Amino acid sequence: VLFGGWTTPNTYHSDTWVWDGSPSGWVLQTPGARPAARRGHVMVYDDARGRTVVCGGNLAGQVLNADTWEWDGVRWANRAPVLAPPVRTGHAMAFDLVRGKVLLFGGEDLLAQARNDLWEWNGVNWAQVATPLAPPAGARGGRPRRLRRLRHRPPRGRPGPRRCAPRRPARRPAT
């Protein structure tokens, strides 16, 4: 699923596209209700609930928001949780397979201050997760790259908790 985005000069989009794996590829969806046009938002697939979650981002006019929407494969639903992370852009989300929750980390707030808070989504509400140690606050370029370097590496031998480990850099062929 692909939702929204931004093209120059300052055109915000609210279209929903789904990759169907066919030779034609992308299929434009036309749901009734949908999130407002935006950029700087994040999306992640909630494997436990079979939904794609969208949170936050910049609306037209550089207005940040903290709304939460879910795509069930046919329609968008505004979840309107009672508790939600503060408005932000440039954050990251991932699905925690072990705990079955969506995680949201970092980004920038209204004052362009970097955040390093962690939140989890259970399908109804967000809850802030207190951690004794957290990565440094960072937005946009730094933090997402670090998250992309992590991949799931299943344990060897007996079943146990999943862990993430740094991905080894790809080797370049000798010239």
Side-chain angles (χ1 to χ4, degrees), residues 91-110:
H91 44 301
M93 283 199 316
F95 183 75
D96 182 339
L97 287 167
V98 174
R99 294 173 47 245
K101 306 238 174 144
V102 168
L103 300 174
L104 180 148
F105 176 78
E108 285 184 358
D109 63 19
L110 284 170

Side-chain angles (χ1 to χ4, degrees), residues 6 15 23 59 89 96 98 104-106 108 114 118 138 150 167:
W6 175 75
D15 46 351
L59 303 180
T89 187
D96 182 339
V98 174
L104 180 148
F105 176 78
E108 285 184 358
L118 179 66
L150 297 178
R167 184 181 297 168

Side-chain angles (χ1 to χ4, degrees), residues 15-27:
D15 46 351
T16 302
W17 293 83
V18 174
W19 176 259
D20 69 358
S22 73
S24 57
W26 292 100
V27 178

